[in-house]
Amino acid sequence: MIKSVLPKIISQQQDEKSITWRLFIDGSLPFFAGHFPEQAVLPGVSQLDWAVQLGCQAFGYNPSVKNVEVLKFQQLILPNTYVNLTISNNVDKAKITFQFAEEDRRFASGRIAFNAPALSD
C-alpha cells in the first residue's frame, strides 16, 4: 500500500465557505507507478484521498467518511499536470463538495459526508 502523499501545492485561495488549491501533479508521485503501463494516469482513489485530506485539514473534520455521493471522474489526470482543487464546506450537513478542474476541463467531482460535524475552534 502506498503511503498517502499530497501533491505539490502551488497556491491557495480561500473565502468563507470554500478553498481552491493550485496543485502540480508530479509524474514522480508513487500513484502513477503501474497505473497504467501504456499511459500513466492518476487513480481516482488518490484524487478522493486528497479531497478528504485537504478538506479535513481546511474545515476541521475528523477524516471518518460516512459516504461519498455523486462521484464522477470526467477526464484523466496525467502526470506533470496543473489542476485546481476546489472544496466547498456545508457545515450544517457535515459535507464537503470537491472538484478537480483546469479552466473549462473538469477532471473529477463529488460530495463527501463525514460521520461527525467539524471540530470546534
Side-chain angles (χ1 to χ4, degrees):
M1 180 172 205
I2 297 173
K3 181 180 182 273
S4 187
V5 175
L6 289 171
K8 181 176 183 179
I9 297 173
I10 305 300
S11 64
Q12 175 179 320
Q13 293 181 319
Q14 182 172 358
D15 61 31
E16 311 82 49
K17 292 190 177 188
S18 70
I19 300 177
T20 299
W21 292 269
R22 180 78 170 150
L23 306 174
F24 177 65
I25 314 302
D26 192 304
S28 68
L29 287 169
F31 312 107
F32 288 112
H35 196 264
F36 293 96
E38 304 81 29
Q39 171 61 65
V41 298
L42 183 66
V45 69
S46 298
Q47 296 170 56
L48 185 59
D49 178 59
W50 294 347
V52 169
Q53 283 190 67
L54 289 171
C56 287
Q57 288 175 16
F59 299 110
Y61 289 102
N62 179 317
S64 176
V65 174
K66 182 177 183 178
N67 60 39
V68 178
E69 305 166 346
V70 297
L71 182 62
K72 296 179 184 173
F73 296 100
Q74 293 96 337
Q75 293 189 42
L76 301 175
I77 297 179
L78 303 178
N80 303 316
T81 302
Y82 288 91
V83 299
N84 294 318
L85 169 58
T86 301
I87 298 180
S88 302
N89 186 29
N90 183 335
V91 70
D92 294 333
K93 295 184 178 183
K95 293 182 180 182
I96 59 172
T97 301
F98 72 92
Q99 176 179 305
F100 286 88
E102 176 63 18
E103 296 178 3
D104 62 346
R105 295 172 52 205
R106 290 182 64 165
F107 296 104
S109 60
R111 195 168 44 236
I112 302 165
F114 295 96
N115 284 315
L119 304 172
S120 300
D121 291 70

